Amino acid sequence: MKKTLLAIPLFWGIAASAQEVKSDAPVVDTTKAWSIQGQNTLMLNQAAFSNWVGGGANNVGWLAGVNYNMTYEKGKDLWENIIILGYGQNNTKGVGTRKTQDVINLSTNYGREFAKHWYLSGGASLQTQFAAGYADGNNPEAAKISNFMAPGYVNVGVGVTYRPNDNLTVTLRPANARWTFVLDDDLQYAGNYGLKHDGDSSLFQFGFLGTAMYKLKIMDNITLTNTGSAFSNYLDHPERLVLSYSGILNMKINKFISTNITLDLLYDHNQIRRTQLKQTLGVGFAYNIDNGQKRSKNVDNQTWQKK
């Protein structure tokens, strides 16, 4: 009996020691290197009139889009990829079908951290559209003014990226090559998009490109994403900056329904010598994807995108 009583505390002592040894085992990092955050949207609008003395024309419209941010973060490596696609149409009785939205925006940027929040980086981007655009409110019977890859803008450059958290990214590229492509034969005339001669299909520029993205949480379920860029061509009239701004105000109603308001401003001396403006408003279905936790220390800044 005494031997049994002595064995019990001895057993518990061995078990406790084993647990202490186990607790010293290295902790496994389960944070994913890849994170994918995105939004898929489908906006619909419709109006019908019958004997309405106030007037009006029956119309129906739609707008679909995707906006994805795929980020790889591990150690000193940072690789961000952005996919923005959007297209929309409106059909009005007596007027016909008109394009209301048309955008292709793809970009990738890789950086290697050399100081806290600072990365030596290099990347590329492509901006163009899906379908032809026409003067007079996208009237297909009017003069064609744009098309797929007419223009198409390709940027490739190296520089530095500053990214203190997931809500702010600033990239400065003092060495950036910019190609303007005009692959539609009908639009290849001197002066169009800066082309030097009739029949040219591209224009090469080399200069400085600066881009910035800032996300602001205004209220619960209301966020504003601001994106801006500036380009200066070293080779010809560096004072003629190409300036652009894009703002997206997203107001989530619930998990699947949201309202989006977008504002785009652009000034490009090679296009027209006036500020271009585009604004859209839509209410419809939206499905968000948030797969993977970023390795950034300020992960709380991502809460504005959570479902």
Side-chain angles (χ1 to χ4, degrees):
M1 183 66 178
K2 291 181 179 181
K3 292 181 179 181
T4 302
L5 294 175
L6 289 173
I8 291 175
L10 180 62
F11 170 79
W12 286 112
I14 294 173
S17 298
Q19 289 179 351
E20 290 178 1
V21 172
K22 186 176 181 180
S23 64
D24 293 335
V27 178
V28 178
D29 184 3
T30 60
T31 305
K32 297 179 180 180
W34 277 101
S35 68
I36 301 176
Q37 297 175 330
Q39 185 180 64
N40 308 281
T41 58
L42 175 62
M43 307 293 180
L44 305 173
N45 59 76
Q46 180 269 340
F49 304 86
S50 178
N51 301 320
W52 189 256
V53 296
N58 297 345
N59 66 83
V60 60
W62 62 274
L63 188 153
V66 297
N67 189 328
Y68 277 76
N69 186 314
M70 297 173 287
T71 304
Y72 176 87
E73 293 181 87
K74 189 172 184 179
K76 294 181 178 294
D77 296 320
L78 171 65
W79 184 20
E80 289 190 292
N81 302 276
I82 296 175
I83 300 174
I84 300 175
L85 306 173
Y87 192 79
Q89 291 181 323
N90 181 276
N91 184 281
T92 302
K93 184 177 180 181
V95 176
T97 300
R98 298 288 188 269
K99 181 172 62 173
T100 58
Q101 174 78 309
D102 192 355
V103 60
I104 299 174
N105 193 335
L106 311 174
S107 65
T108 183
N109 190 63
Y110 169 78
R112 179 76 174 177
E113 190 174 28
F114 66 91
K116 187 175 182 181
H117 305 318
W118 287 93
Y119 300 81
L120 291 173
S121 63
S125 65
L126 166 68
Q127 294 91 34
T128 186
Q129 61 193 57
F130 287 101
Y134 301 88
D136 189 24
N138 280 319
N139 180 2
E141 298 179 358
K144 181 167 55 176
I145 57 175
S146 62
N147 208 342
F148 174 73
M149 289 302 291
Y153 299 101
V154 174
N155 285 280
V156 179
V158 294
V160 295
T161 295
Y162 175 66
R163 188 172 181 275
N165 54 59
D166 294 327
N167 286 345
L168 176 63
T169 302
V170 179
T171 298
L172 306 175
R173 293 179 186 165
N176 186 87
R178 185 177 191 254
W179 288 270
T180 301
F181 292 95
V182 183
L183 303 186
D184 188 316
D185 295 342
D186 297 333
L187 301 174
Q188 294 175 354
Y189 295 99
N192 277 6
Y193 305 107
L195 298 179
K196 300 300 183 183
H197 308 96
D198 289 351
D200 285 354
S201 61
S202 65
L203 170 71
F204 174 76
Q205 297 173 300
F206 184 80
F208 169 86
L209 176 66
T211 63
M213 182 278 297
Y214 177 61
K215 302 173 185 175
L216 175 66
K217 180 178 179 180
I218 300 174
M219 298 176 61
D220 289 340
N221 296 328
I222 300 179
T223 59
L224 176 63
T225 302
N226 303 276
T227 305
S229 70
F231 175 77
S232 173
N233 178 24
Y234 298 148
L235 306 179
D236 184 26
H237 292 287
E239 75 281 2
R240 294 176 180 173
L241 300 179
V242 179
L243 303 172
S244 70
Y245 167 80
S246 175
I248 302 176
L249 182 65
N250 180 264
M251 296 173 282
K252 290 179 59 177
I253 299 173
N254 57 37
K255 185 177 180 179
F256 296 107
I257 300 177
S258 69
T259 297
N260 282 341
I261 300 175
T262 70
L263 174 65
D264 292 277
L265 297 172
L266 173 65
Y267 180 83
D268 186 345
H269 187 87
N270 287 333
Q271 292 189 9
I272 58 174
R273 299 176 187 180
R274 296 190 300 272
T275 300
Q276 302 177 51
L277 181 148
K278 180 180 69 174
Q279 184 271 324
T280 66
L281 166 65
V283 179
F285 301 100
Y287 180 70
N288 295 329
I289 293 177
D290 194 346
N291 181 16
Q293 182 179 6
K294 293 187 178 181
R295 307 179 76 90
S296 303
K297 293 181 180 180
N298 298 318
V299 292
D300 289 339
N301 290 320
Q302 301 175 50
T303 55
W304 68 274
Q305 291 197 94
K306 300 295 184 183
K307 297 179 185 177

